Amino acid sequence: IVWGVAFTPDGKTLASGSYDKTIKLWSLDLDDLLARGCNYLKEYLATRDELPKKLCPGK
């Protein structure tokens, strides 16, 4: 069970603290995450003209 999360000031690392007193550091590549999300939603966004596509241009 995660009890808390925090980002580093540069936004590239997420720290999560758990019930079992462990802390995990997660390295974040936000550009890669956005590209993966846009690729996953590609067909859905292409068929929905009413949705804004600012985050996934060309989709």
Side-chain angles (χ1 to χ4, degrees):
I1 298 172
V2 174
W3 281 53
V5 296
F7 285 94
T8 56
D10 64 5
K12 294 184 179 183
T13 304
L14 174 77
S16 63
S18 299
Y19 176 75
D20 63 358
K21 298 182 182 176
T22 60
I23 296 174
K24 292 186 180 181
L25 300 177
W26 307 83
S27 179
L28 303 175
D29 180 345
L30 297 180
D31 292 331
D32 179 58
L33 181 61
L34 180 59
R36 288 174 184 243
C38 287
N39 189 48
Y40 179 76
L41 294 172
K42 184 178 179 179
E43 287 184 35
Y44 179 79
L45 291 173
T47 61
R48 303 300 191 282
D49 290 332
E50 72 278 7
L51 294 177
K53 296 172 180 68
K54 293 178 184 174
L55 288 176
C56 298
K59 302 293 184 219

